[in-house]
Amino acid sequence: MIHDSKQRYGSVSKTFHWSMTALIAWQLLKFGDRIAEGEHWIGQTLVPWHVSIGTLLLGLIVLRLFWVIGQRRHRPRQHPATARLVKAGHGLLFAGMLLMPLSGVLIMLGGGYGLSAFGWEIVPEGEEIAWAAGLGSLHSPLAWMLSVLILGHVGIALFHHFGRRDDTLKRML
Ligand code: HEM
Ligand code: HEM
């Protein structure tokens, strides 16, 4: 089933959710640069893909937002007592998924580095742009905030599954 329903998420939403979860986890490995200045296996094999994977995530989040808006009338029902809180929480996760790659792109353009993804030059190197570099400096604080949100989100999902034993996690699996 491609579309979402009141009972569960459909295959498109699940594919977006789990593929982007994996790619975001990959992106968060960039925190590893803080250990021995990235001079370790993860820093040398997975982290160098940061800009390419981040640019891919920017494309994916735009497509996902269109999909979510299209599905909004027939998505799984939330418990009325917490529906607004869940909506706000998911909204913040979406904001994080959009602002992370946008601020990342601003670091690159602000520094005059240009932007290339998977060997394809999207914006050539150029002048430094002070306002873009300024906004780009939000990238790291946003990464910390998104990490906390994700921890909360995963914790709540596991609590539903193992604590309450309801079908919240199952409808996304
Ligand atoms: C969802 C997408 C992204 C996530 C989750 C993410 C996450 C991160 C994290 C965790 C850091 C390390 C921050 C720290 O140690 O304080 C970082 C740094 C960085 N990211 Fe991203 N990033 C994303 C997208 C991008 C994109 C699209 C670009 C560029 C086009 C980018 C460029 C950079 C750069 C240049 C740094 C180093 C910044 C510095 O050292 O000041 N990121 N990112
Ligand atoms: C192991 C990691 C994760 C687990 C176990 C998990 C679990 C879930 C579950 C069970 C739902 C359905 C909630 C409901 O119907 O009330 C959900 C939805 C959602 N999750 Fe996650 N999630 C994970 C990672 C992530 C990450 C990394 C993000 C983004 C940063 C994210 C963003 C969302 C969003 C925005 C929704 C709302 C539905 C949608 O439009 O896709 N999740 N997640």
Side-chain angles (χ1 to χ4, degrees), residues 27 30-31 34 50-51 54 57 100 104-105 108 115 139-140 143:
Q27 289 301 83
K30 181 81 178 159
F31 277 129
R34 290 170 174 259
H50 193 77
V51 172
L57 276 163
M100 281 314 300
V105 167
M108 300 306 285
L115 181 67
H139 192 70
S140 171

Side-chain angles (χ1 to χ4, degrees), residues 3 31 53-54 56 63 70-71 76 85 110 120 139 149-150 163:
H3 293 93
F31 277 129
I53 302 284
L56 173 64
L63 296 176
Q71 301 297 300
L85 211 63
W120 177 48
H139 192 70
L149 274 174
I150 292 173

Side-chain angles (χ1 to χ4, degrees), residues 64-107:
R64 182 168 173 181
L65 285 171
F66 277 116
W67 180 256
V68 167
I69 291 168
Q71 301 297 300
R72 70 187 182 284
R73 286 184 207 291
H74 37 96
R75 305 204 96 192
R77 282 180 210 279
Q78 301 295 340
H79 193 281
T82 49
R84 291 178 88 162
L85 211 63
V86 171
K87 216 172 174 182
H90 289 169
L92 286 174
L93 286 165
F94 278 121
M97 285 190 279
L98 187 61
L99 291 176
M100 281 314 300
L102 280 181
S103 57
V105 167
L106 289 176
I107 298 180

Side-chain angles (χ1 to χ4, degrees), residues 9 13 17-18 21 24 64 68 75-76 78 86 90 93-94 97 146 150 153-154 157 168-169 171-172:
Y9 292 95
S13 292
H17 183 272
W18 294 112
T21 293
I24 289 167
R64 182 168 173 181
V68 167
R75 305 204 96 192
Q78 301 295 340
V86 171
H90 289 169
L93 286 165
F94 278 121
M97 285 190 279
L146 182 63
I150 292 173
H153 176 69
V154 174
T168 305
L169 183 57
R171 62 196 186 188
M172 188 49 104

Side-chain angles (χ1 to χ4, degrees), residues 25-50:
W26 187 342
Q27 289 301 83
L28 292 178
L29 295 176
K30 181 81 178 159
F31 277 129
D33 279 1
R34 290 170 174 259
I35 301 165
E37 297 188 350
E39 295 292 323
H40 42 72
W41 183 80
I42 290 178
Q44 283 162 354
T45 54
L46 297 176
V47 175
W49 292 93
H50 193 77

